[in-house]
Amino acid sequence: MTYVADLHLHSSYAMATSKELNFENLARWAGIKGIDLLASADFTHPMWFDETKARLHETGDGLLKLRDSPDSSVRFVLGTEVNCNGQQGGRNRRVHMLVFAPSLDVAERINASCSRHGILTGDGRPTLHLTPRELLELLLEIDERNFVIPAHVWTPWFGIYGSKSGFDSLEECFGDLADRVYAIETGLSSDPAMNWGVSELNDRSIVSFSDAHSLPKMGRELTVFDGEPSYDGLLRSLKNQGIAYTVEFFPEEGKYHNSGHRKCGVSLTPAEVGEVGDRCPVCARLMTHGVAYRMAALTSREVKTWTDEDGFTRGEPARPPFKSLVGLQQIIAESLGRGVNTKGVMDRYLDIVGEFGGELATLLEAPPSDLTRTAGQRIAEGIGRVRRGDVSIEPGYDGKFGRVSVWPDE
Ligand SMILES: [Zn+2]
Ligand SMILES: [Zn+2]
C-alpha cells in the first residue's frame, strides 16, 4: 500500500512562518495537495504541543487524526525539527535534525528531557546544546522507537554534510549509533541521484519533504512510502527503503546549489571553483560552498542514471526512483503572466486541483486532453513541459534561490 507523506513541516510558532499554519489549515491543504500523512510539527514547543493535544487524537497505531473532523482522512505523525548545537571534534557543529515519536506520552518525555538542554518556549525549531549523537542517545533512552532523520543534509550551515559546520560522514557524527540512522532528507538543493554516489547512503532511505513555512508550499517535495501507514510501518519503510518514489525540486532551484558570493553576484559550478579556488573572484573573500561542490567532495562512486518512459529518474543499482516537478501555482502564474501569489492564480489553481483530486495527481496523472479541457491549452502545455523536464534553470547560490522557467524565452 502506498501513501504520500510530508514529514518536515512547521507551525506558526517556528521562526519566519505563516500565522495560518494551524491544524485545520494543514489538513485542508493536505487535501488540496494530495498528501495523506503530515508531521505534526514543532512538538517541542509547549503552546503548539498543547494545541496538538487539543486538536488531534491518537488512533492506536502511533499516528493521530483531527478530533473535530471525523471525515478528514489526513493523518499526522508526531514529528519536529531541532537545531543541535554542540562541540564535536574540536569544532562547533550546528545540525538540523527531524525527530519522530510514537505517542503523545513519549513526546512529552522528550520535551521534558530536551528542556534541560535548551529553551523550548521561543522558536518552534529550538536550539539544543547537544550533538546529534547525544540527541539520538537521549531519544533512544526514552523509547527505542523514537528515530531521527538528518534534515536537508547538504545545506552549508545546518546540514549534517554541510560545508560550514557539518561532518564528513554519518559515521563520524553518530559513531556507534550510526546504524540507528535509517534515512536522510535531501533538502531542496539536492535530489536522490546526487546522493546515490555517497556510499554510506547505499543502505539508507533517501527522503524528501517540503520544510514549508506557508501552506501553499506544503508538499513541494514529498515521499510516497510503500508499506503500512502506521508509525511502525513508517519506521519499517525507512529501514528497508520501502519507498515508491519521491517528488523533488529541480536541485538547481535550491538556495545553495552552486558555490558563490551573493553580494558580488558570483555563482560557480564545482568545476569553476576548481579553477578559481575558494575565494570570490570579485572581492577575494571566502565564498559559500554550495551543495554541488560539497557533494563532489564526498561522492565516492559513479552512478548510472536514466529517465524512464514515465519521466522518473532511476539509477543502477536500483534505488527508489524520483520525479522533479515545478509547483502548479508557478506553472499557472507563468502561463498567465501573473504573480505567483495573486488571487487570480490561486483561484485557477484551486479549480484545477479540485477537478483532478489534488495537485500531485494533476501534475503526475491527469491525461493531457482532460487538462486542456479544464485548465486551457497554455497551462496544459506548461504541465506537459514540466512532465518532460523541458524547463530552463538558473542555479541558486549563497542563499539566493535558483529560478526555474517553464517558458524561458517569453
Ligand atoms: Zn532546518
Ligand atoms: Zn565577493
Side-chain angles (χ1 to χ4, degrees):
M1 173 173 192
T2 62
Y3 59 98
V4 180
D6 186 354
L7 306 184
H8 187 167
L9 293 166
H10 289 284
S11 73
S12 52
Y13 292 96
M15 246 155 48
T17 57
S18 160
K19 295 268 173 295
E20 294 180 357
L21 288 165
N22 59 45
F23 282 111
E24 281 65 26
N25 282 336
L26 286 168
R28 186 166 63 87
W29 272 84
I32 292 169
K33 294 285 178 176
I35 305 168
D36 305 306
L37 178 66
L38 300 175
S40 69
D42 297 353
F43 71 65
T44 47
H45 195 283
M47 288 167 80
W48 182 251
F49 193 54
D50 282 347
E51 218 162 307
T52 306
K53 288 181 285 189
R55 294 275 179 232
L56 305 184
H57 70 93
E58 300 189 284
T59 49
D61 53 4
L63 303 180
L64 303 94
K65 268 179 127 167
L66 277 181
R67 231 179 242 289
D68 303 326
S69 309
D71 299 339
S72 170
S73 60
V74 176
R75 315 259 244 136
F76 293 86
V77 59
L78 290 162
T80 191
E81 184 184 30
V82 302
N83 173 27
C84 287
N85 186 332
Q87 287 284 327
Q88 191 172 330
R91 282 169 60 193
N92 185 246
R93 315 288 187 147
R94 289 179 295 172
V95 176
H96 286 184
M97 301 282 286
L98 302 177
V99 173
F100 296 88
S103 70
L104 289 165
D105 175 56
V106 170
E108 191 114 49
R109 278 149 57 204
I110 292 172
N111 292 349
S113 277
C114 287
S115 69
R116 291 195 282 275
H117 302 282
I119 295 163
L120 304 185
T121 50
D123 189 353
R125 184 208 299 108
T127 291
L128 303 178
H129 297 286
L130 293 170
T131 63
R133 192 200 169 282
E134 288 166 343
L135 172 73
L136 181 53
E137 187 172 31
L138 172 156
L139 293 169
L140 292 173
E141 271 169 17
I142 293 170
D143 192 308
E144 283 280 316
R145 290 186 298 161
N146 291 330
F147 66 91
V148 296
I149 300 178
H152 42 71
V153 292
W154 297 99
T155 54
W157 276 281
F158 299 110
I160 204 160
Y161 293 138
S163 59
K164 296 285 183 184
S165 57
F167 297 83
D168 288 341
S169 66
L170 298 174
E171 202 72 47
E172 182 195 0
C173 177
F174 290 102
D176 56 326
L177 294 182
D179 61 355
R180 305 295 295 263
V181 180
Y182 311 114
I184 58 102
E185 185 197 36
T186 61
L188 301 181
S189 301
S190 84
D191 65 22
M194 295 166 71
N195 290 275
W196 289 339
V198 179
S199 52
E200 69 169 352
L201 300 181
N202 282 354
D203 43 17
R204 291 185 166 97
S205 285
I206 294 173
V207 293
S208 283
F209 307 122
S210 71
D211 195 1
H213 290 196
S214 66
L215 295 162
K217 296 213 158 83
M218 287 169 63
R220 59 185 172 176
E221 294 204 325
L222 53 79
T223 298
V224 182
F225 286 102
D226 192 353
E228 185 192 276
S230 65
Y231 187 89
D232 291 337
L234 171 65
L235 185 50
R236 253 193 318 275
S237 287
L238 289 167
K239 286 181 182 173
N240 303 323
Q241 300 193 42
I243 292 170
Y245 61 90
T246 62
V247 165
E248 308 285 331
F249 259 37
F250 288 91
E252 297 87 346
E253 212 176 340
K255 296 196 269 198
Y256 293 102
H257 187 77
N258 271 353
S259 298
H261 195 203
R262 188 174 180 170
K263 278 200 190 106
C264 300
V266 170
S267 169
L268 303 174
T269 63
E272 289 165 338
V273 173
E275 281 165 28
V276 306
D278 293 335
R279 291 187 178 270
C280 170
V282 175
C283 73
R285 286 174 204 270
L286 283 176
M287 290 184 290
T288 301
H289 277 312
V291 165
Y293 178 85
R294 181 71 181 146
M295 201 166 254
L298 296 188
T299 295
S300 55
R301 64 199 181 106
E302 286 284 321
V303 176
K304 188 175 149 235
T305 65
W306 69 95
T307 307
D308 70 14
E309 71 253 29
D310 296 318
F312 285 87
T313 303
R314 294 180 177 271
E316 179 96 11
R319 301 291 295 256
F322 68 91
K323 181 138 185 164
S324 304
L325 290 176
V326 175
L328 181 57
Q329 284 169 79
Q330 188 188 330
I331 299 171
I332 296 170
E334 257 195 80
S335 306
L336 302 178
R338 308 267 268 294
V340 75
N341 295 318
T342 55
K343 183 169 180 305
V345 168
M346 181 59 79
D347 289 348
R348 206 60 194 281
Y349 168 81
L350 292 174
D351 277 353
I352 296 169
V353 300
E355 192 69 31
F356 295 105
E359 180 173 347
L360 189 63
T362 307
L363 290 175
L364 290 184
E365 291 157 17
S369 55
D370 295 359
L371 277 173
T372 306
R373 200 162 46 243
T374 304
Q377 182 80 45
R378 177 98 172 148
I379 293 172
E381 165 60 13
I383 293 171
R385 285 184 176 224
V386 169
R387 284 181 181 173
R388 296 191 299 274
D390 185 10
V391 299
S392 125
I393 311 164
E394 221 177 276
Y397 65 98
D398 197 16
K400 186 174 191 287
F401 271 110
R403 273 176 80 99
V404 168
S405 314
V406 183
W407 282 279
D409 306 326
E410 296 175 22

